[in-house]
Amino acid sequence: MKKETTKTADIDFAESAVPQSSRRNMLTMFMIMLGFTFFSASMWAGKELSDGLDFSGFVAALLLGGCILGLYTGLLGYVGAKTGLSLDLLARKSFGVKGSYLPSAMISFTQIGWFGVGVAMFAIPVANELFGGSKLAEVILVIVAGVCMTASAYFGIKSLTIVSYVAVPLVAVLGTVSMILAVQRGESTFLEQFARSSGTLTVIGGAGLVMGSFVSGGTATPNFTRFAQSGKAGMITTVVAFFIGNSLMFFFGGVSSIYVGGNDIFEVMINLGLFYMAVLVLGLNIWTTNDNALYSAGLGLANIFRRRKKPMVLISGLIGTAASVWLYWNFCGWLNILNCTLPPVGIILVLDYFLNKEDYETAEAHCEVNWSAVIGVVLGAVVANAVHWGIASLNGMAVASACYLIGSRVQKKSV
């Protein structure tokens, strides 16, 4: 008798559309997407926003930036859920098989970078508070955090769901309660504290901060919404989760800046004498974003190197963990520059889907390289970083859209 070989089922569908039988309900998708937005770097941006605007300007910037970010990620959420395809498989359709290596490399590079920064965001303050800044303790905490966060990304969507269900309620409730306690214990009212801002920001500039704080991560939205039950469900859960989660992070950062001179709810909780709660909230807050980031990086590298996702997640986690402290101190500025390079990718994915819906009935790509998409991303990224007027992400998307649409029209005429 011939020995039968069995192939391990790919529960994360790295090479195919997610079938309807593997889709998840709206509550699960909402928790995953909300956890994704719980990002400590957004708190840092919240500090900048509160330092540069009064309360009305803070809220106006938050609403404007949140609406733009919600529209962008919502469209990506819809496309991901409607097709069941990951960002990388969508890129194969719109950029071509080899052209997709560009967006896959960009998303992998930025997400590994932010993963490493996130690990250090946990390890450095905890080592300082608990172990007096011991470098040995810092290294141990980096390794422990890196291993735990890599493990949840390694086991895929099921473990991401578990982490989100545990972390999201705890971070939201404990963080909000700490924020309220800080406001109550302040020497003046909330509005009076905000009125002391330096006035160095405009509402448009603040909206750019709001959008830029998470637009790179938001570009990976299809990697998660492809598990939603319908396009409508994918869009709704994404828009609501991004608006609530991003706003909460900005308020956490703003309150931290105003009341304790910090940039993270961790520092507020430390000031309130809630050390162990602070460590719990900090760790869970970073974990919910970091495992999603590493999951996206693994999918991107799997597309480039034609390997299974899980080994690519392990490699990404190893690189991000090993380089975490260096990334934290040396690379945040570069990562913020790279944030502007990803919106052109997302807008081209959206445009290609709505212009060529009939091509998305299968995951097969129709060309090796779609040069109009590739050139659009390159030019969009250059403009986003070089033009200092308006909102960088929108500038990049506008240029990328124009290049893609003009190129597509020329290609169709030449056929």
Side-chain angles (χ1 to χ4, degrees):
M1 291 179 64
K2 287 185 178 180
K3 189 176 180 179
E4 291 186 7
T5 58
T6 58
K7 188 177 180 180
T8 305
D10 178 14
I11 62 171
D12 289 298
F13 304 98
E15 289 293 326
S16 62
V18 177
Q20 202 62 39
S21 59
S22 295
R23 303 294 181 103
R24 284 160 169 74
N25 60 46
M26 281 192 74
L27 177 60
T28 295
M29 293 309 306
F30 177 70
M31 296 297 275
I32 291 172
M33 297 310 294
L34 189 58
F36 189 26
T37 65
F38 282 9
F39 186 36
S40 288
S42 294
M43 295 190 213
W44 294 4
K47 169 183 166 50
E48 290 184 55
L49 207 63
S50 65
D51 289 348
L53 292 167
D54 61 15
F55 185 69
S56 61
F58 181 95
V59 172
L62 201 55
L63 289 173
L64 178 59
C67 287
I68 298 170
L69 184 63
L71 178 62
Y72 172 69
T73 57
L75 287 169
L76 283 167
Y78 176 86
V79 172
K82 196 71 176 176
T83 62
L85 301 176
S86 66
L87 176 147
D88 304 283
L89 294 182
L90 288 170
R92 285 191 204 174
K93 304 287 286 186
S94 52
F95 287 78
V97 176
K98 292 182 178 177
S100 71
Y101 297 168
L102 175 62
S104 290
M106 290 165 65
I107 198 74
S108 298
F109 188 65
T110 54
Q111 295 310 293
I112 291 171
W114 279 122
F115 171 86
V117 171
V119 169
M121 279 182 185
F122 173 77
I124 292 172
V126 173
N128 288 338
E129 290 291 337
L130 194 59
F131 301 103
S134 164
K135 291 301 177 183
L136 177 60
E138 187 179 287
V139 170
I140 292 172
L141 287 168
V142 163
I143 293 171
V144 171
V147 168
C148 290
M149 294 171 188
T150 301
S152 61
Y154 177 84
F155 290 110
I157 196 68
K158 288 185 177 180
S159 57
L160 298 187
T161 302
I162 294 169
V163 171
S164 296
Y165 266 105
V166 172
V168 166
L170 282 171
V171 172
V173 172
L174 292 175
T176 301
V177 169
S178 300
M179 183 171 62
I180 293 170
L181 288 174
V183 172
Q184 289 176 340
R185 296 186 187 185
E187 295 179 358
S188 57
T189 68
F190 190 59
L191 294 181
E192 288 172 341
Q193 288 281 2
F194 254 103
R196 299 176 185 176
S197 70
S198 63
T200 54
L201 270 179
T202 63
V203 170
I204 296 297
L209 273 177
V210 174
M211 189 174 180
S213 69
F214 205 66
V215 72
S216 64
T219 303
T221 295
N223 288 340
F224 312 104
T225 59
R226 63 199 175 109
F227 289 94
Q229 291 177 334
S230 66
K232 182 179 178 181
M235 174 178 274
I236 291 173
T237 52
T238 298
V239 171
V240 174
F242 270 66
F243 193 81
I244 292 175
N246 220 33
S247 298
L248 198 58
M249 293 302 105
F250 269 80
F251 270 106
F252 284 176
V255 167
S256 176
S257 174
I258 288 170
Y259 289 97
V260 299
N263 55 21
D264 197 307
I265 199 66
F266 173 81
E267 292 161 277
V268 174
M269 298 180 79
I270 292 294
N271 186 262
L272 293 170
L274 304 172
F275 175 77
Y276 293 105
M277 289 288 188
V279 172
L280 178 65
V281 167
L282 179 68
L284 291 176
N285 186 58
I286 292 170
W287 197 339
T288 55
T289 304
N290 262 17
D291 57 3
N292 283 268
L294 210 59
Y295 180 84
S296 292
L299 287 172
L301 293 180
N303 179 50
I304 295 170
F305 296 107
R306 291 292 190 267
R307 295 289 186 268
R308 292 173 58 245
K309 177 193 73 82
K310 286 186 174 182
M312 296 297 100
V313 167
L314 291 179
I315 292 170
S316 302
L318 180 62
I319 294 170
T321 302
S324 62
V325 176
W326 181 86
L327 288 167
Y328 180 85
W329 292 116
N330 297 281
F331 209 53
C332 284
W334 283 105
L335 285 170
N336 283 323
I337 290 173
L338 290 168
N339 281 350
C340 297
T341 67
L342 285 169
V345 170
I347 199 65
I348 287 175
L349 298 184
V350 170
L351 286 173
D352 192 77
Y353 170 75
F354 283 107
L355 291 174
N356 304 290
K357 284 185 180 180
E358 66 281 358
D359 292 340
Y360 283 78
E361 293 178 3
T362 69
E364 297 300 319
H366 299 297
C367 68
E368 288 292 297
V369 179
N370 182 348
W371 287 107
S372 63
V374 172
I375 294 170
V377 166
V378 173
L379 290 181
V382 170
V383 169
N385 282 293
V387 176
H388 303 292
W389 175 88
I391 297 175
S393 301
L394 289 182
N395 295 339
M397 285 193 277
V399 171
S401 298
C403 288
Y404 170 77
L405 291 172
I406 293 170
S408 296
R409 190 172 183 84
V410 170
Q411 285 174 354
K412 285 181 180 178
K413 283 187 175 181
S414 64
V415 173

